[in-house]
Amino acid sequence: MVTGRPVLEGIKTLLWIFFIAALVIGLGRFFFGLGAATNMTDQLPWGFWKVFNMVAGAALATSGFVVAAIIYIFQMEKYKSVARFSILVGFLGYGSSLVALLFDIGLPHRGWHPFFMWNPHSFLFEVFWCVSIYWFVTAFELLPLITERFPFPKFTHFIHEVMLPAVILGITLSTMHHSSLGSLFMVSPTRLHPLWYSLWIPPEFFISAMGAGLSVIVLLQIIMSWLYKQEINMKVLTGLVKGSAGFLLLYLVIKVADFTVNDKWNFVFGPDITWETYLFWVESLLQVIIPLAIFLYPKTRNSIEGLIFGTTSAFIGIVMHRLNTGIVGYFRSAESVYVPNFSELLLGLGLICGAGLVFLFLLERFYIFKEPVSHGDHHDSSDIELWSSAEAQTVFLGSRAKKVGIIAVIVIPITWFFFRDQATGPFQPIVQPVEASIIGVDPLREVLRIDGNLANEFVDFPHKKHQEAFIKEYGMIAEETCVECHHLNLPNDNASNCRLCHSDMQLKTAIFDPDAHIQHFRADPEFDIEAFMKTDLSDRRKGFEACFDCHEENMKGLAAYAVKGFDQEAPGFKDVMHGSCQTCHRQREEDRAKADDNSNCLFCHKINP
Amino acid sequence: MSSVQNPELSNSKGMLTDVTKCIGCERCVEACVRQNKLPREFPAKFKSDDGLSGNRFTSIVKTDAAKADLVRMVRRHCLHCIDPACLAACLVGAFKKTPDGAVEYDADMCIGCRYCMLACPFSIPRYEYNEPLPYIRKCKMNDECRAKGGKPACVSACPTGATIYGRRKDLLEVARERIKSNPDLYIDHIYGEKEFGGTSVMYLSDTPLNETLKMPTKTEFDRLRVSSLAQKSIPSMVEPWVWVTPVQFVAVSSGLGVIWLYRRKKLLANQNNQDSNPGNENKGGDHGNR
């Protein structure tokens, strides 16, 4: 068919690398969720995949229906040479967008729901129906491209016969969904910045999409013609950019009228100048003003350099406009910023690369640059080289398959490694441990940072404040305050032996007098002092029980837990901690004079930013 | 579409939160967590500044003490609009407004497009971003308790009576009464009476709510140059455009057909002319382009 320049092989390798990486990310999204794969938040729920791939992607792929209208409806035979090219761009552009959406929506296995569950009030419903049907219509329009190389001329002929209604349906659906893609953002008058919000969005989106679509087709035509050493038909391309300029001019007029009628010039020229204003200026310059300047002036319009420059500018401009409307315009009201992360970019762009691969594949094997002699009565089949089995073999076997295999083997682990690294990132707690221990202590020992269940979630406990409160309110001495809470197990232990802490049982301290202890036992006739003295205190449970029988009162927080099988196993650190805190604070709450609202869980268990 | 005059909703229930009475104890949050058996809070990435997340349907927002003289706490949760934007936005119709006044979400229909999140003027619906197959999560005004004829758990839990539950009509009267009896304290405005076509959850405040609750108010609309929309619900605002589409379908397709016929006729006429004068150069040029 057509032969490409040597650089084409390198380009294809790049496309394969990005495409395979995108598939890996796509797989990862279903393992780790959208939160791991993207940077979307609750305030900015529409990210790169929706706004770039779908909203901007649809605008870039407008060429399909505009050129179809030029050729089939307005019957301008001159443009027939770009017909298949532009319809194919439309088909593949929409195809890659729809695939991206499958990764973006939360429950892609329910993608068929809108066909059966209707809500005609929704703009998205409209977009869904129009886009999905339109995609099949473009596929139908492209069928002759494939079938003409196979020996069933009757079928090909039949498709040509019913082409007109299909084209009309396709164009109608396009006009509907391009405006509806704009209306999608009309539901947020308070959230979208007024530079992009307007009740006039639908026509603005529709017209700017047509302008950009024609520019994109010219740019692609130039690039592909160069890559495949095809002759560039300047007459056709200048005709197309003239059309593009017409739409852009119309867009400019509508936009100016919109800003005047809705009184929004203050956001453009002041006094309400913010960073959005500058962004808007760059966008308008690229999207409308530069392309218009080039396309309206015959000298630049007729030169390849001028065309490349102008169409590239229009291409970047329309992407900027869509991203600004769908994402950036929401930053101010959301009070946060969304920047797509690497996996989002990779998947979004990688799917377009995949579409590019299909594009090149079809370009090389089917009649796309040149439609073989026009269909109809004088169909000359000798013009067309039929598909051979030798050609089929080159598709799936040979050096290409080997190359793709090698790329996959290299790219898959690398992508997975980086994605895995990123995916596990956000799940780490925001409060970092002070030390790798259960209780972190701040340098002043005023606040304890407790992680009872070792789950890396910390509760800040104002230790010093509690000490002071006991001293002040209950008239305790400093050492005494400890006992109010600290008759506990050791952290993360189930039945700590009392002796572990009370190793100084023979010494008299502020809170413990061993002599008084023994005398107290002797005074009680029912107490079996001999058995007590023989208790093996090194046995954890027996040691604990020996003390607890009498000292229940000292262990305020533990009382409640004595009921639930306390003889079996002492409560863990978490239970004791909760018991201690809640017992005291709930008691205080009943005493209205001292009431505070510290007794509920959430008082402590907030994840501190 | 439903509106304030919808007879079905005339007896709908609602909530009234008196911002001046809230002490920020978060008992309502605790009750909500218990009632809905919500799991642990997400890691901080999935939690927004206002405290709502896929696992928290209500939260307490506090004014920044550094910025405002008056520290106020406000409950933030779904306002259960009378004409909800999420309901109109959802492409499968997973949301419905019950006669009770609540806006309920049917997880079995949802496809996860998150358009409701974009459409909600209060930015309430939350998403389970950490799930491979996520759903939308939001306050459902405690459907279990309402089914038994009771109050939502968060209302029962409120120790100060800052949030009360009842018929929306009655609540409006209560609110007016309070403003009347204490005009020095309250701002003479019931937030939710008319905002976005009215909401079932209303607020009474002594401080502007756009500062505390980050709620869009009329000043916001004025600033954004869309003040004409301030009292309208979002669905009623965009409704005309929805009905443009079917008209567009008929108009565009028939228009295209007419153009095709016209062009065809003209081309045929040209061709006949050319056939009568063989050797016309136009035809040759046409072929050259290919």
Side-chain angles (χ1 to χ4, degrees), chain A residues 29-36 38-43 45-46 50 72-75 77-78 81 104-107 109-110 113-114 117-126 128 164 168-169 171-172 175-176 179-180 183-191 194 197 199 202-203 233 262-264 266-267 330 335 426-427 430 457 586 589 597 599-602 606-607, chain B residues 1 23-27 29-30 34 40-48 50 52-53 56 62 87-93 107-115 117-121 123 125-127 129-135 196 214 216 220-221 223-226 229 234 237-239 241-243 245 248-249 252-253 256-257 259-260 263-264 267 286 289-290:
Chain A
R29 172 253 177 271
F30 285 109
F31 270 101
F32 301 106
L34 278 169
T38 70
N39 268 350
M40 291 185 282
T41 60
D42 287 317
Q43 273 71 34
W46 277 24
K50 256 205 199 88
Y72 292 100
I73 306 300
F74 293 94
Q75 297 168 42
E77 291 282 316
K78 183 172 103 179
S81 58
D104 180 87
I105 65 170
L107 307 154
H109 57 289
R110 292 181 180 173
H113 273 197
M117 302 169 186
W118 287 24
N119 181 13
H121 298 286
S122 169
F123 290 118
L124 198 60
F125 174 78
E126 217 173 288
F128 176 89
L164 186 69
I168 289 182
L169 178 67
I171 297 167
T172 313
T175 60
M176 283 157 74
S179 45
S180 287
S183 341
L184 286 181
F185 303 104
M186 224 160 62
V187 293
S188 34
T190 46
R191 295 178 67 184
Y197 181 83
L199 277 177
N233 190 340
N262 295 321
D263 183 25
K264 290 195 291 199
N266 59 323
F267 295 106
Y330 286 85
E335 292 183 349
F427 294 96
I430 217 166
E457 288 157 356
R586 293 265 191 222
E589 199 163 67
D597 52 14
S599 60
N600 69 64
C601 308
L602 296 150
K606 287 176 202 167
I607 294 180
Chain B
M1 286 305 290
I23 55 166
C25 70
E26 299 198 334
R27 278 280 166 88
V29 183
E30 196 185 347
R34 288 230 176 94
R40 291 188 84 88
E41 183 52 284
F42 289 145
K45 182 191 170 184
F46 303 113
K47 194 177 161 183
S48 57
D50 61 11
L52 292 182
S53 76
R56 290 292 175 276
K62 285 179 190 166
L87 189 150
C90 182
L91 79 165
V92 290
D108 291 338
M109 293 168 90
C110 181
I111 67 165
C113 68
R114 303 188 294 288
Y115 191 35
M117 298 170 73
L118 196 78
C120 178
S123 182
R126 300 290 137 146
Y127 206 53
Y129 279 114
N130 56 345
E131 299 283 331
L133 294 175
Y135 293 93
F196 296 102
K214 305 218 168 69
E220 183 84 352
F221 276 104
R223 193 185 68 75
L224 298 176
R225 296 279 191 276
V226 280
L229 312 172
I234 287 176
M237 197 183 86
V238 297
E239 192 75 359
W241 282 107
V242 173
W243 298 113
T245 312
Q248 198 181 349
F249 182 80
V252 173
S253 50
L256 289 172
I259 293 171
W260 178 80
R263 290 288 302 177
R264 180 105 191 138
L267 281 179
D286 230 24
N289 278 343
R290 289 207 193 102

Side-chain angles (χ1 to χ4, degrees), chain A residues 69-86:
Chain A
I70 292 172
I71 292 156
Y72 292 100
I73 306 300
F74 293 94
Q75 297 168 42
M76 300 181 185
E77 291 282 316
K78 183 172 103 179
Y79 296 102
K80 206 141 195 182
S81 58
V82 289
R84 291 184 159 188
F85 191 86
S86 11

Side-chain angles (χ1 to χ4, degrees), chain B:
Chain B
M1 286 305 290
S2 54
S3 69
V4 190
Q5 285 80 33
N6 189 336
E8 239 181 59
L9 291 172
S10 61
N11 277 330
S12 73
K13 302 283 177 54
M15 287 192 211
L16 177 70
T17 296
D18 192 333
V19 173
T20 59
K21 288 188 178 180
C22 181
I23 55 166
C25 70
E26 299 198 334
R27 278 280 166 88
C28 47
V29 183
E30 196 185 347
C32 179
V33 168
R34 288 230 176 94
Q35 183 68 34
N36 293 303
K37 296 182 185 65
L38 298 176
R40 291 188 84 88
E41 183 52 284
F42 289 145
K45 182 191 170 184
F46 303 113
K47 194 177 161 183
S48 57
D49 293 343
D50 61 11
L52 292 182
S53 76
N55 285 338
R56 290 292 175 276
F57 300 161
T58 181
S59 70
I60 299 282
V61 183
K62 285 179 190 166
T63 42
D64 193 347
K67 281 183 197 161
D69 307 334
L70 195 68
V71 176
R72 283 276 172 258
M73 279 74 68
V74 196
R75 271 188 77 194
R76 185 167 159 78
H77 56 123
C78 177
L79 276 84
H80 299 276
C81 306
I82 286 177
D83 193 2
C86 54
L87 189 150
C90 182
L91 79 165
V92 290
F95 287 92
K96 66 171 190 289
K97 177 89 180 165
T98 62
D100 244 12
V103 177
E104 285 183 355
Y105 158 77
D106 185 353
D108 291 338
M109 293 168 90
C110 181
I111 67 165
C113 68
R114 303 188 294 288
Y115 191 35
C116 48
M117 298 170 73
L118 196 78
C120 178
F122 307 106
S123 182
I124 291 291
R126 300 290 137 146
Y127 206 53
E128 297 178 311
Y129 279 114
N130 56 345
E131 299 283 331
L133 294 175
Y135 293 93
I136 293 287
R137 310 269 285 172
K138 75 167 198 69
C139 165
K140 39 198 166 181
M141 223 198 242
N142 206 337
D143 45 358
E144 287 167 32
C145 284
R146 277 190 294 111
K148 290 177 202 154
K151 297 179 195 173
C154 53
V155 178
S156 317
C158 186
T160 60
T163 300
I164 52 174
Y165 178 74
R167 281 200 334 180
R168 188 172 181 269
K169 274 185 198 165
D170 302 342
L171 290 178
L172 276 171
E173 265 164 43
V174 169
R176 283 197 199 104
E177 196 61 38
R178 281 189 197 172
I179 293 172
K180 214 176 182 183
S181 60
N182 209 342
D184 296 338
L185 178 64
Y186 295 107
I187 292 175
D188 187 12
H189 180 76
I190 306 166
Y191 191 91
E193 189 186 6
K194 282 175 187 157
E195 269 76 10
F196 296 102
T199 57
S200 290
V201 174
M202 293 168 293
Y203 291 87
L204 203 56
S205 173
D206 58 346
T207 166
L209 277 170
N210 56 342
E211 282 163 28
T212 44
L213 208 49
K214 305 218 168 69
M215 293 276 202
T217 55
K218 197 164 177 308
T219 19
E220 183 84 352
F221 276 104
D222 288 340
R223 193 185 68 75
L224 298 176
R225 296 279 191 276
V226 280
S227 52
S228 59
L229 312 172
Q231 308 285 312
K232 277 194 205 166
S233 72
I234 287 176
S236 69
M237 197 183 86
V238 297
E239 192 75 359
W241 282 107
V242 173
W243 298 113
V244 162
T245 312
V247 177
Q248 198 181 349
F249 182 80
V250 177
V252 173
S253 50
S254 49
L256 289 172
V258 169
I259 293 171
W260 178 80
L261 274 177
Y262 172 74
R263 290 288 302 177
R264 180 105 191 138
K265 233 176 169 178
K266 213 173 165 188
L267 281 179
L268 280 177
N270 276 352
Q271 219 160 37
N272 284 341
N273 285 345
Q274 284 162 19
D275 284 349
S276 53
N277 327 317
N280 192 303
E281 282 186 7
N282 254 345
K283 210 173 179 184
D286 230 24
H287 272 288
N289 278 343
R290 289 207 193 102

Side-chain angles (χ1 to χ4, degrees), chain A residues 129-354:
Chain A
W129 271 78
C130 293
V131 169
S132 48
I133 297 174
Y134 174 66
W135 191 58
F136 285 107
V137 171
T138 40
F140 183 79
E141 286 172 10
L142 286 173
L143 260 185
L145 184 109
I146 311 290
T147 55
E148 74 191 3
R149 289 208 61 199
F150 291 90
F152 13 86
K154 270 189 183 165
F155 183 67
T156 313
H157 189 72
F158 166 74
I159 293 172
H160 281 304
E161 288 291 300
V162 293
M163 190 59 97
L164 186 69
V167 166
I168 289 182
L169 178 67
I171 297 167
T172 313
L173 290 171
S174 294
T175 60
M176 283 157 74
H177 76 242
H178 276 293
S179 45
S180 287
L181 276 171
S183 341
L184 286 181
F185 303 104
M186 224 160 62
V187 293
S188 34
T190 46
R191 295 178 67 184
L192 186 55
H193 194 275
L195 278 171
W196 293 287
Y197 181 83
S198 164
L199 277 177
W200 300 27
I201 292 183
E204 282 172 13
F205 257 57
F206 175 53
I207 287 160
S208 63
M210 289 198 289
L214 286 175
S215 280
V216 168
I217 208 69
V218 171
L219 183 63
L220 273 177
Q221 184 82 25
I222 292 171
I223 293 172
M224 289 302 153
S225 300
W226 180 79
L227 275 177
Y228 287 101
K229 301 177 192 161
Q230 297 288 313
E231 208 179 315
I232 293 174
N233 190 340
M234 281 304 277
K235 233 177 172 179
V236 170
L237 296 193
T238 45
L240 288 175
V241 295
K242 264 193 241 164
S244 176
F247 288 125
L248 290 177
L249 209 58
L250 191 57
Y251 173 74
L252 191 66
V253 170
I254 291 182
K255 201 79 183 171
V256 168
D258 173 20
F259 274 68
T260 312
V261 171
N262 295 321
D263 183 25
K264 290 195 291 199
W265 286 112
N266 59 323
F267 295 106
V268 186
F269 295 115
D272 294 331
I273 288 185
T274 51
W275 57 265
E276 281 104 338
T277 311
Y278 303 118
L279 202 64
F280 179 78
W281 272 114
V282 175
E283 171 208 303
S284 312
L285 212 66
L286 287 173
Q287 190 196 353
V288 188
I289 296 166
I290 292 178
L292 266 185
I294 290 170
F295 297 161
L296 288 181
Y297 188 52
K299 201 176 170 188
T300 45
R301 185 173 66 210
N302 287 324
S303 75
I304 282 280
E305 292 79 16
L307 281 183
I308 292 175
F309 191 64
T311 51
T312 311
S313 160
F315 170 81
I316 299 169
I318 190 80
V319 172
M320 262 188 89
H321 174 247
R322 296 306 197 251
L323 289 179
N324 286 346
T325 311
I327 299 175
V328 181
Y330 286 85
F331 283 0
R332 187 168 293 275
S333 63
E335 292 183 349
S336 56
V337 172
Y338 161 88
V339 180
N341 62 14
F342 115 93
S343 60
E344 256 178 305
L345 290 172
L346 205 54
L347 182 77
L349 297 174
L351 289 174
I352 293 174
C353 290

